[in-house]
Amino acid sequence: FVGNSTYLDDHGPPPQKVLPFPSQVVYNRVGKCGSRTVVLLLRILSEKHGFNLVTSDIHNKTRLTKNEQMELIKNISTAEQPYLFTRHVHFLNFSRFGGDQPVYINIIRDPVNRFLSNYFFRRFGDWRGEQNHMIRTPSMRQEERYLDINVCILENYPECSNPRLFYIIPYFCGQHPRCREPGEWALERAKLNVNENFLLVGILEELEDVLLLLERFLPHYFKDVLSIYKNPEHRKLGNLTVTVKKTVPSPEAIQILYQRMRYEYEFYYYVKEQFHLLKRKFGLKSHSRKPRPRPEFFIPSPLETEEPIDNEEEDDEKWLEDIYKR
């Protein structure tokens, strides 16, 4: 107040907050693909950059009824912008329910490595405390908890066979019942959604490059993410989320898993190829290695980035604008 007049009398309405574009981002994180590390980073970044980080406590409900979809989309859409919403949930089509389609981001990893990480995490938790798994899977019987991974695969236990192994694709295919059936239909729809609705799908094996590109595409969310990630204090936090007691199945069991997950691998290699094209476009060199016979199991990839290379193909910002216009 100035004297008896208000700010409104003298100046009109207060200036509206200018929102960066995009101001609606959804990270429908795939389980056991580094998402807890990324969420730790997002908590720091949301404080630093002042965006609204909307997280969910629901970790085990990825498929929703039509009413649940409508309810969740309504809740997300009314969040204060700029927001970043994150939850383990299969792709939601906002425009189907009359909402503005947000920009999606996600990260995936080698499907067998993801499956193994989940298998042992459900049984033995991570370094944050071995009791962690008791809270997550309290009803798991002892004989199931100590079930040898090879027995599970070779004797075709439900946990180690389809449809349980068809896990990554539904996060991109969406909520349609056919998205949960291993096959070409779900695979093709997932690829289409990656092209049309996802700004970036990175691969965990090259996490530093994923973070670099996120910083480039969404600076008002991810500025300085790489320096925070490389900070030794944060590294300590990240190490707490490493799954314990992981063992490697026999080559025979791995081959069987690979066969069962052939659609997951087709999707993974498609995403990896797109990611590498994007890296090249923005001057990040992928490490040149001799092509290995597929599948590429248990070969650790260094999380490092080489010096950028010059790239004069087209204006980077224009390419970004084109993505947002779609």
Side-chain angles (χ1 to χ4, degrees):
F1 290 89
V2 182
N4 290 328
S5 71
T6 64
Y7 180 91
L8 282 176
D9 292 336
D10 295 336
H11 303 276
Q16 274 194 315
K17 186 173 163 189
V18 177
L19 291 172
F21 187 81
S23 59
Q24 303 170 79
V25 177
V26 172
Y27 170 32
N28 65 322
R29 51 200 185 112
V30 181
K32 306 312 293 172
C33 289
S35 65
R36 283 183 301 155
T37 298
V38 177
V39 170
L40 283 171
L41 288 168
L42 284 168
R43 290 205 177 109
I44 298 165
L45 291 165
S46 65
E47 291 282 312
K48 192 175 164 70
H49 302 317
F51 63 85
N52 182 15
L53 178 62
V54 186
T55 58
S56 172
D57 294 330
I58 303 166
H59 298 291
N60 55 1
K61 192 167 173 51
T62 53
R63 307 162 184 176
L64 310 176
T65 65
K66 191 173 175 185
N67 282 342
E68 287 168 338
Q69 289 177 59
M70 285 170 72
E71 189 64 25
L72 182 56
I73 285 170
K74 193 175 97 182
N75 289 344
I76 299 171
S77 300
T78 53
E80 186 191 345
Q81 296 181 24
Y83 68 72
L84 189 148
F85 173 80
T86 179
R87 172 178 160 177
H88 293 301
V89 66
H90 295 166
F91 175 79
L92 291 159
N93 189 338
F94 282 59
S95 49
R96 185 180 165 217
F97 297 100
D100 289 338
Q101 191 68 6
V103 163
Y104 272 85
I105 56 173
N106 219 321
I107 299 171
I108 65 172
R109 75 193 277 196
D110 178 285
V112 163
N113 283 338
R114 194 220 70 82
F115 164 73
L116 293 176
S117 182
N118 188 56
Y119 184 89
F120 292 106
F121 176 68
R122 288 183 69 235
R123 285 160 171 78
F124 308 114
D126 55 34
W127 291 112
R128 291 178 300 176
E130 290 239 349
Q131 293 313 306
N132 199 31
H133 64 282
M134 294 297 187
I135 301 160
R136 279 178 188 278
T137 51
S139 59
M140 191 180 274
R141 299 190 311 279
Q142 284 302 88
E143 61 268 28
E144 192 186 347
R145 196 175 298 283
Y146 293 98
L147 173 64
D148 182 274
I149 182 86
N150 291 301
V151 172
C152 184
I153 296 163
L154 297 172
E155 297 188 11
N156 217 3
Y157 279 68
E159 187 178 356
C160 299
S161 53
N162 274 316
R164 299 267 190 95
L165 295 178
F166 193 68
Y167 182 87
I168 298 171
I169 285 173
Y171 274 87
F172 299 87
C173 178
Q175 297 287 339
H176 192 286
R178 285 186 73 185
C179 287
R180 305 195 284 276
E181 296 167 12
E184 289 289 334
W185 189 89
L187 169 66
E188 291 307 318
R189 184 155 162 160
K191 286 181 184 175
L192 188 69
N193 273 334
V194 165
N195 294 338
E196 293 189 349
N197 292 296
F198 283 79
L199 176 64
L200 179 70
V201 183
I203 56 167
L204 184 62
E205 293 84 355
E206 297 170 39
L207 182 59
E208 289 198 4
D209 287 346
V210 178
L211 297 176
L212 264 174
L213 287 177
L214 284 170
E215 184 169 359
R216 184 76 175 265
F217 296 170
L218 299 169
H220 46 289
Y221 292 93
F222 287 97
K223 190 173 186 312
D224 301 325
V225 65
L226 206 55
S227 55
I228 296 166
Y229 175 69
K230 286 180 163 180
N231 181 307
E233 285 304 304
H234 176 265
R235 272 290 158 91
K236 273 194 290 196
L237 284 175
N239 289 341
L240 293 177
T241 66
V242 174
T243 303
V244 298
K245 293 193 182 180
K246 212 191 277 189
T247 57
V248 178
S250 68
E252 183 193 0
I254 284 177
Q255 280 307 322
I256 289 171
L257 273 185
Y258 184 60
Q259 286 308 315
R260 289 177 188 167
M261 300 173 95
R262 64 187 182 280
Y263 293 111
E264 294 275 276
Y265 270 98
E266 200 175 321
F267 182 72
Y268 172 71
Y269 285 118
Y270 175 79
V271 165
K272 191 175 185 176
E273 196 180 341
Q274 298 297 311
F275 181 65
H276 285 167
L277 285 171
L278 204 51
K279 276 173 56 168
R280 283 204 294 280
K281 189 179 192 67
F282 284 88
L284 299 174
K285 239 186 302 189
S286 293
H287 294 283
S288 54
R289 297 194 190 98
K290 286 177 188 160
R292 294 192 199 98
R294 293 180 182 184
E296 302 172 299
F297 298 128
F298 315 113
I299 299 160
S301 306
L303 296 180
E304 54 183 301
T305 304
E306 293 188 355
E307 285 300 304
I309 49 174
D310 290 331
N311 186 346
E312 297 170 6
E313 276 177 36
E314 74 173 271
D315 179 44
D316 294 347
E317 302 310 316
K318 181 179 181 317
W319 178 87
L320 264 179
E321 278 169 31
D322 292 344
I323 282 268
Y324 292 142
K325 277 180 199 153
R326 282 203 306 231

